[in-house]
Structure formats: C-alpha cells, structure tokens
Amino acid sequence: RDWRLAQVCFCVMSSPAGTMDGEQVPLTSLDEAKVKLSQFAEKYGGLIKPWKTFAQVAKPEQALARQRLEANIRTYQGNYAVILVTLLLVAILLNPSCLIVLALLGAGWVVFVKKNTEDWKTVVGGVDITKPQRTMLCGILSAVLVFYFAGELIFSVMGLTAVLAGLHAISHPVDEMEQDNEAI
C-alpha cells in the first residue's frame, strides 16, 4: 500500500499538467503591482541616462544651441520626465488643498470601485449606463476636479520643468558619439 502511494506521488510530481517556465504567479495585488512596476521599469528604464553624465554642463556656444537642444531633449527625455514627476509630487505634498482634493478623490474611487458591479443598475434619462461607461464618467469627473483645483499648480510645474529642461539641454555638451548616432 505504501509502495502504491509513493508511485502515485512520483507520477504526479514527475508529469506536471502545464508548462513550467519558472515565472512565479502573483498571489496578492501587491505582488501584481510589483510585477507591473518591474515590467514598466524594464520597458522605460533605458530612457533614463546616468545622472552623473546628465549633470555635466558647459557654457553654450550660440551657433550650437539648437543642435544641443534637439540632441539633448531626445537623449535625456527620461531624466526630464523623472524631474517633472518629482517636482509635481513635491508641489502636491506642499499644497494642502491639493492633498485634500486628492484624498477625497481617492476615497470616492474606493467607494466607486467597490460599488461598480454588473448588478448595479444606473439609469440616466431612461438610458442604462454600463459599467465601462460609469467608469469613464467617473474618470472624466475626476480629471475635471483635478484640473479645477490643481490645474494652476500642475501647469506651473510643467512650465517650470520645460524651462529647466530647455536651459539644461542648451547648456549640456553633446557627445561626439551622440552626434554620430543621430547622423545615422
């Protein structure tokens, strides 16, 4: 009897039903978020150049300003995006009204996501609103509220980042390798 049990266990262990590619299936939403974040980092991490080379600046020659601007904006676009996101986060954290609006929006989305099931029937003007339509309407409402309460902050940070990126791009020397890559 023990021999038969051992034989069954060996057969089950030696012949799996599916393929085993070594990829671990995420068990929680936190694990799933980690997987998506690592995929995002793999896809876009190459756009961010080393900060040591990014920080090099030199007095620009007026004749080369446009060439530097075009080459460096293309080369350091990932670094500029990181700076934009960082400045936006700092500006939002330093602005209490933005924090309150974002906290209320977050709480509203938590309630909405829990309630937004296929069983929830919503009728507006005699027309049934489907689940994707409700989600889209809440997204539009959220965007309008964010731009109403934090639009000035968002656009001022974006403008500041654009000015800083332009100044950096003009004053950062262009490597010969970068010039050769762009000629190709």
Side-chain angles (χ1 to χ4, degrees), residues 20-42:
M20 297 185 66
D21 58 2
E23 185 176 327
Q24 187 174 2
V25 178
L27 300 176
T28 64
S29 58
L30 182 63
D31 291 338
E32 192 174 324
K34 286 180 184 177
V35 168
K36 290 189 187 241
L37 188 61
S38 68
Q39 290 171 346
F40 182 82
E42 268 183 41

Side-chain angles (χ1 to χ4, degrees), residues 3-81:
W3 178 79
R4 180 76 179 139
L5 181 64
Q7 188 178 19
V8 168
C9 288
F10 177 76
C11 287
V12 168
M13 289 174 23
S14 64
S15 60
T19 61
M20 297 185 66
D21 58 2
E23 185 176 327
Q24 187 174 2
V25 178
L27 300 176
T28 64
S29 58
L30 182 63
D31 291 338
E32 192 174 324
K34 286 180 184 177
V35 168
K36 290 189 187 241
L37 188 61
S38 68
Q39 290 171 346
F40 182 82
E42 268 183 41
K43 187 174 182 179
Y44 297 107
L47 291 176
I48 300 172
K49 304 300 181 200
W51 292 99
K52 187 175 182 179
T53 59
F54 177 81
Q56 297 172 354
V57 291
K59 184 177 178 185
E61 298 174 24
Q62 194 166 359
L64 299 176
R66 182 177 173 156
Q67 179 187 5
R68 281 185 173 190
L69 181 69
E70 291 174 358
N72 286 326
I73 290 290
R74 195 174 312 115
T75 302
Y76 293 107
Q77 62 185 332
N79 298 70
Y80 299 138

Side-chain angles (χ1 to χ4, degrees), residues 66-130:
R66 182 177 173 156
Q67 179 187 5
R68 281 185 173 190
L69 181 69
E70 291 174 358
N72 286 326
I73 290 290
R74 195 174 312 115
T75 302
Y76 293 107
Q77 62 185 332
N79 298 70
Y80 299 138
V82 168
I83 291 170
L84 173 67
V85 170
T86 303
L87 288 176
L88 274 174
L89 288 175
V90 168
I92 288 170
L93 290 174
L94 293 176
N95 191 330
S97 63
C98 285
L99 285 175
I100 291 169
V101 168
L102 290 177
L104 290 174
L105 275 174
W109 271 99
V110 167
V111 170
F112 174 76
V113 167
K114 286 185 179 183
K115 186 172 177 141
N116 192 25
T117 62
E118 295 296 335
D119 301 335
W120 185 25
K121 298 294 179 198
T122 308
V123 179
V124 176
V127 178
D128 286 338
I129 306 296
T130 64

